[in-house]
Amino acid sequence: MIVSPSLLAADSGKYSEEIKEVEKAGLKYLHIDVMDGHFVPNLSFGPNILEGIRSKSKMIFDTHLMIANPSDFVEAFIKAGADIITIHIETSDDIYNLYNICKGNKKGFGLAVSPDTPLENLNRYLKIIDILLIMGIQPGFGGQEFIPKVLERIKEMAVIKKTSNFNYLISVDGGVSEENATDIALAGADILVAGSAIFGKADRSEAVKSLLSGNVIK
Ligand code: DX5
Ligand code: ZN
């Protein structure tokens, strides 16, 4: 199981120290939520912030773009140091082109899907993506409750992955907690994105242990 801590829940006055804490906890991925105030009603990080933390960390920058026009920014985020770029299926009709840009730069490419978007919309891209990010909440804010119906969506995409032999990793983002991590893992998640469940706790190593304390390690 991969755990990708979401920087959105970290102390914004000391990102470098916060990143060191999760590196010390043994984590390899760092989830970076990019918001534009249009696709979601909130603002967060731009490429300049990635560039700043890039020089301080070797973690895999798992960059989640919640922006209305990803085509305008994908290259800037790659240049700033993103390792994986995930865009929302709801935002772009230029997905193959964005995929090609990422692959041309040897970066991972993912698609994210919000809770009310039909999963069928993903069908034609499933064979090319590295990450399928299934939102457990409506995107825009950390600290929300996981929407229970999403468990079925994870299961459905895990079955499709298995039966069709696809390679995508299933990442689950939003509302992941110590209480539901095992169910989410058993449903088929490969990556647990966790903001408040990690940065909301004083001891980040303990928080990661508690998150994985069920039988979630595959
Ligand atoms: C929400 C973001 C999530 C968020 C998760 O739009 O995509 O990554 O930070 O936060 P928690 O784990 O607190 O729900
Ligand atoms: Zn996210």
Side-chain angles (χ1 to χ4, degrees):
M1 176 61 68
I2 295 167
V3 174
S4 190
S6 170
L7 194 64
L8 194 63
D11 183 334
S12 53
K14 47 175 192 174
Y15 285 137
S16 303
E17 288 100 310
E18 294 284 71
I19 293 168
K20 278 201 192 89
E21 292 261 306
V22 288
E23 272 180 328
K24 250 196 280 165
L27 300 183
K28 304 273 183 283
Y29 278 56
L30 183 70
H31 186 86
I32 303 169
D33 286 306
V34 176
M35 304 183 184
D36 67 349
H38 292 278
F39 178 63
V40 289
N42 197 5
L43 290 167
S44 61
F45 314 113
N48 57 331
I49 302 288
L50 258 85
E51 208 178 323
I53 57 176
R54 182 73 285 175
S55 61
K56 306 267 192 296
S57 170
K58 297 218 158 28
M59 292 180 91
I60 296 167
F61 283 6
D62 164 26
T63 313
H64 177 192
L65 300 187
M66 286 163 276
I67 62 178
N69 46 350
S71 307
D72 291 348
F73 292 100
V74 160
E75 276 154 321
F77 279 102
I78 290 174
K79 200 159 163 247
D83 296 295
I84 301 166
I85 299 267
T86 296
I87 66 157
H88 268 261
I89 181 86
E90 300 86 6
T91 61
S92 180
D93 48 12
D94 196 23
I95 289 172
Y96 288 113
N97 183 34
L98 295 176
Y99 166 82
N100 285 330
I101 293 173
C102 288
K103 291 293 137 182
N105 285 282
K106 301 194 165 44
K107 305 297 174 191
F109 180 76
L111 281 177
V113 61
S114 294
D116 297 329
T117 302
L119 292 170
E120 296 72 50
N121 295 8
L122 296 159
N123 283 352
R124 75 180 106 147
Y125 307 112
L126 293 176
K127 61 171 174 297
I128 61 166
I129 58 177
D130 301 303
I131 303 269
L132 173 60
L133 188 151
I134 301 180
M135 292 300 302
I137 55 167
Q138 298 299 344
F141 299 90
Q144 305 180 62
E145 289 275 310
F146 185 80
I147 300 168
K149 71 161 189 194
V150 173
L151 264 191
E152 288 309 313
R153 290 165 63 82
I154 302 166
K155 286 182 193 161
E156 191 177 330
M157 297 319 293
V159 168
I160 292 176
K161 173 180 164 174
K162 200 164 178 206
T163 51
S164 303
N165 247 325
F166 291 140
N167 290 319
Y168 56 80
L169 294 177
I170 298 181
S171 178
V172 178
D173 182 13
V176 174
S177 69
E178 210 175 304
E179 288 72 35
N180 61 23
T182 301
D183 287 342
I184 293 172
L186 290 174
D190 303 293
I191 303 175
L192 297 175
V193 175
S196 18
I198 294 179
F199 286 113
K201 305 275 167 68
D203 185 331
R204 279 62 194 268
S205 296
E206 280 307 314
V208 173
K209 270 189 214 145
S210 323
L211 207 58
L212 297 175
S213 61
N215 53 350
V216 297
I217 304 169
K218 287 193 271 186

